[in-house]
Amino acid sequence: MCPNPILFSVSEGHPQAVLTLQSAWAQIFPGETVTLSCEVEGGSADWRFKQYRKGQEQAVCQKPSPSMGNSVGCTISTPQYNHSGVYWCESASGQERSNTINLTVSTPLVPAPLIRCLGGDVRPGREWTQYYE
């Protein structure tokens, strides 16, 4: 006989969700394809994608890809600057959430053209002329 009984309760745990970013490149530029994938223990039915941008929470991927086993996907086929923000997936009730991913759509760096001065010509009473390649 135990002098001090031990009380405990058993409850079902919350599903664990993991959000991953699938992209061909580390940096995201306008026009590239980006896929967010949410993998949920026990199945991903009724999970949705959310974005937090400029102080507001927004639903994204109104029609996510069909659930395949434990994961559901959200593809942004032509990301623009307004797609930058913090993303996560959450259950329909909003009680369970995945990790967050910060997505930034960057401006591509365009190299400045190299201009080389090949020489110049100055003659009295005439304009300065330079030759560039």
Side-chain angles (χ1 to χ4, degrees), residues 14-15 17 38 40 43-50 57 59 64 72 88-98:
H14 295 287
C38 185
V40 183
S44 58
D46 297 326
W47 281 68
R48 58 188 176 209
F49 293 89
K50 293 294 212 73
E57 190 176 299
V72 64
W88 68 92
C89 55
E90 70 180 28
S91 64
S93 68
Q95 297 296 315
E96 293 86 32
R97 286 187 172 192
S98 70

Side-chain angles (χ1 to χ4, degrees), residues 7-21:
L7 300 174
F8 63 93
S9 64
V10 177
S11 62
E12 189 174 320
H14 295 287
Q16 188 70 21
V18 177
L19 180 65
T20 56
L21 175 65

Side-chain angles (χ1 to χ4, degrees), residues 3 9 11 13 15 23 27 30-31 36 48 57 74 80 100-101 109 111 128 132:
S9 64
S11 62
S23 170
Q27 284 186 297
L36 297 166
R48 58 188 176 209
E57 190 176 299
C74 172
Q80 299 300 318
T100 59
I101 288 181
L109 296 176
W128 170 264
Y132 292 96

Side-chain angles (χ1 to χ4, degrees), residues 46-66:
D46 297 326
W47 281 68
R48 58 188 176 209
F49 293 89
K50 293 294 212 73
Q51 176 193 25
Y52 187 80
R53 182 175 167 269
K54 292 188 177 181
Q56 293 186 346
E57 190 176 299
Q58 305 171 30
V60 291
C61 280
Q62 300 300 332
K63 294 182 179 179
S65 65

Side-chain angles (χ1 to χ4, degrees), residues 102-116:
N102 190 3
L103 177 67
T104 302
V105 180
S106 304
T107 303
L109 296 176
V110 178
L114 177 63
I115 299 176
R116 202 167 32 141

